[in-house]
Amino acid sequence: MNPVPTAGPTAELPLVVSVDDHVVEPPDVWTSRLPARHRDTGPRVVRATCRTEHVTANTVKYHFGGDGPETDWWVYEDLHKPIPQVVACVGFPRESLTMAPIRYAEMRPGCHDPAARLADMDLNHTEMSLCFPTFPRFCGQAFLEAKDRDLAMLGVRAYNDWMIEEWCGGSGGRLLPLCLIPLWDPVAAAAEVRRNAARGCRAVAFTELPANLGLPSVHDPDRHWDPFFAACDETGTVVCMHIGSSSRMPVTSPDAPEGVRMALTFANAQYSLVDWLMSGVLARFPRLRIAYSEGQIGWMPFVLERVDNIFRHSAAWAGLDPAITELPSSYAAGRVFGCFFEDDFGVLSREAVGIERITFETDYPHQDSTWPRTREILERIAGMVGPEDLHRIARGNALDMLGLV
């Protein structure tokens, strides 16, 4: 482990443990792992032409076989999905980024090859990385939406086997596994959490706002999610929620420019944290930890203050779960984590945010990635914080969150 630096921006900088990066799955993830009878129906990559249609300022539609260049398509049941350049764009000038598809041959190899990823991490002052999926989407929505649930379950398990054995297996612990669950079955989800925890996985992807996916919310009176939450609580598996994992990004109006949506990406994480703090889940599962990816951190102090004030002044009619017997913010201590790549206000407000809950991301290979400038960013942060806080932000809190210390 990298030592704590001794002083200021010129001191030795701690190597980063990034809690939000992404992997573009190699084309053979499912064709090499699914039973032979399913390899022509499970997720697979085919080559075909694509016409890219900009429907609105915030909506792009891809036409399989349309009048356009050839690209690589993921095909699964009725789904035909290319890979937009902006999600595999490291190495490209920012001014050239588009939503047009990109072929595997055009990507930087670190997008999908673990050895190349480690080399790119070395170039980016990064020791460890936790990666969310691309084709299945941030919490496996592609499998939730599939018609054949048996095949979808096999697809989830195949992804997790590949993630643990191939993507992370040869990395010497530098690539950290983040697994999926069958979102449609909380009992099977609990079993999958325990199966992967036994293999060293301590992070699972979940949706920030389940109701947006047609699933019961964390407020469900029948405790729908309790088997899954209990398995995470028991195994020390962190529930990781990426912005967009509810398949709906906040935007003010259909004709708002893309910049409006980009400015509001934190909002779903904000809504989700209020849900969790006022649902009683964290009170009922006292070891359960949750983490918000790419939501930034500057908004967190107000949410904590607001829910506490509601508990103090309005608990009699606020309809809160009776399990909440203390200030809602008290359940967040040491158990709720945020992460940022660009949030000076959050860093300067770190005591109000809670220094113990701040983690860092490089977001490789997305359009917001700090690659290969992460060392420069750490140097700038070092000018705002002391060495101990810098160490906690860059790596210490992430290692604690994942049970690696």
Side-chain angles (χ1 to χ4, degrees):
M1 300 300 178
N2 207 56
V4 177
T6 54
T10 60
E12 183 180 1
L13 295 171
L15 290 172
V16 164
V17 176
S18 174
V19 298
D20 175 27
D21 294 317
H22 302 265
V23 58
V24 179
E25 298 80 17
D28 66 346
V29 167
W30 287 276
T31 55
S32 66
R33 289 188 172 274
L34 289 175
R37 68 183 183 278
H38 290 304
R39 290 176 186 170
D40 292 335
T41 54
R44 60 205 182 276
V45 171
V46 302
R47 179 66 64 85
T49 57
C50 175
R51 179 171 68 87
T52 303
E53 177 188 2
H54 291 268
V55 181
T56 69
N58 302 299
T59 307
V60 176
K61 184 180 291 186
Y62 301 102
H63 296 271
F64 181 80
D67 183 15
E70 276 198 338
T71 195
D72 295 321
W73 289 82
W74 278 100
V75 178
Y76 176 41
E77 293 191 339
D78 297 332
L79 177 65
H80 293 74
K81 179 182 178 182
I83 302 166
Q85 184 208 31
V86 292
V87 304
C89 60
V90 288
F92 288 88
R94 285 181 180 259
E95 60 272 15
S96 72
L97 302 186
T98 73
M99 290 296 293
I102 185 172
R103 292 180 289 115
Y104 277 88
E106 299 170 310
M107 299 176 195
R108 191 173 179 88
C111 294
H112 53 83
D113 178 80
R117 175 63 65 93
L118 292 174
D120 277 355
M121 288 163 59
D122 289 340
L123 292 174
N124 197 40
H125 201 71
T126 304
E127 182 183 4
M128 299 180 189
S129 169
L130 187 77
C131 291
F132 283 84
T134 296
F135 163 72
R137 311 215 299 276
F138 293 141
C139 65
Q141 298 101 302
F143 295 114
L144 172 68
E145 296 165 0
K147 299 171 185 174
D148 186 337
R149 285 288 167 81
D150 291 335
L151 176 55
M153 184 69 227
L154 291 172
V156 168
R157 290 172 65 92
Y159 178 88
N160 292 340
D161 291 345
W162 167 80
M163 166 63 61
I164 291 172
E165 296 166 8
E166 292 191 32
W167 180 251
C168 300
S171 70
R174 295 185 63 192
L175 294 173
L176 306 170
L178 173 67
C179 286
L180 300 178
I181 57 169
L183 289 162
W184 59 92
D185 186 338
V187 174
E192 191 63 8
V193 166
R194 292 186 175 97
R195 183 176 82 96
N196 295 318
R199 302 189 288 175
C201 178
R202 291 294 183 270
V204 64
F206 189 58
T207 173
E208 61 207 348
L209 297 169
N212 281 2
L213 301 181
L215 297 168
S217 78
V218 295
H219 304 286
D220 180 57
D222 295 325
R223 311 292 199 223
H224 174 85
W225 294 107
D226 275 15
F228 167 61
F229 295 152
C232 293
D233 180 274
E234 169 195 320
T235 59
T237 299
V238 183
V239 178
C240 298
M241 294 170 280
H242 196 284
I243 57 165
S245 58
S246 60
S247 297
R248 193 183 305 171
M249 295 297 290
V251 69
T252 55
S253 59
D255 59 347
E258 181 67 5
V260 171
R261 185 197 63 78
M262 294 167 67
L264 291 171
T265 53
F266 72 93
N268 280 355
Q270 188 178 51
Y271 299 159
S272 176
L273 180 56
V274 173
D275 261 354
W276 277 79
L277 292 175
M278 305 191 85
S279 68
V281 171
L282 294 175
R284 291 186 292 110
F285 296 98
R287 294 178 299 276
L288 188 60
R289 292 181 167 193
I290 63 174
Y292 289 99
S293 299
E294 207 167 324
Q296 314 306 327
I297 56 175
W299 53 269
M300 296 180 81
F302 174 73
V303 165
L304 297 172
E305 176 185 350
R306 180 63 179 154
V307 296
D308 282 355
N309 282 335
I310 290 171
F311 181 83
R312 288 188 184 101
H313 306 306
S314 307
W317 55 276
L320 302 183
D321 190 288
I324 303 174
T325 58
E326 308 291 338
L327 291 174
S329 68
S330 68
Y331 301 107
R335 300 173 58 200
V336 172
F337 296 84
C339 110
F340 78 101
F341 59 83
E342 188 176 53
D343 189 345
D344 286 358
F345 176 79
V347 172
L348 293 171
S349 307
R350 60 193 177 280
E351 295 304 324
V353 173
I355 185 61
E356 77 283 353
R357 65 173 53 100
I358 301 175
T359 62
F360 187 76
E361 62 171 288
T362 74
D363 201 29
Y364 184 109
H366 282 191
Q367 69 273 18
D368 287 322
S369 179
T370 62
W371 189 92
R373 304 171 293 108
T374 293
R375 184 180 178 87
E376 298 170 22
I377 292 170
L378 281 186
E379 288 173 345
R380 187 165 59 81
I381 295 172
M384 296 187 278
V385 307
E388 182 177 348
D389 283 359
L390 180 66
H391 188 268
R392 297 189 75 169
I393 290 169
R395 62 183 290 111
N397 291 336
L399 294 172
D400 177 66
M401 180 183 91
L402 296 167
L404 296 176
V405 291

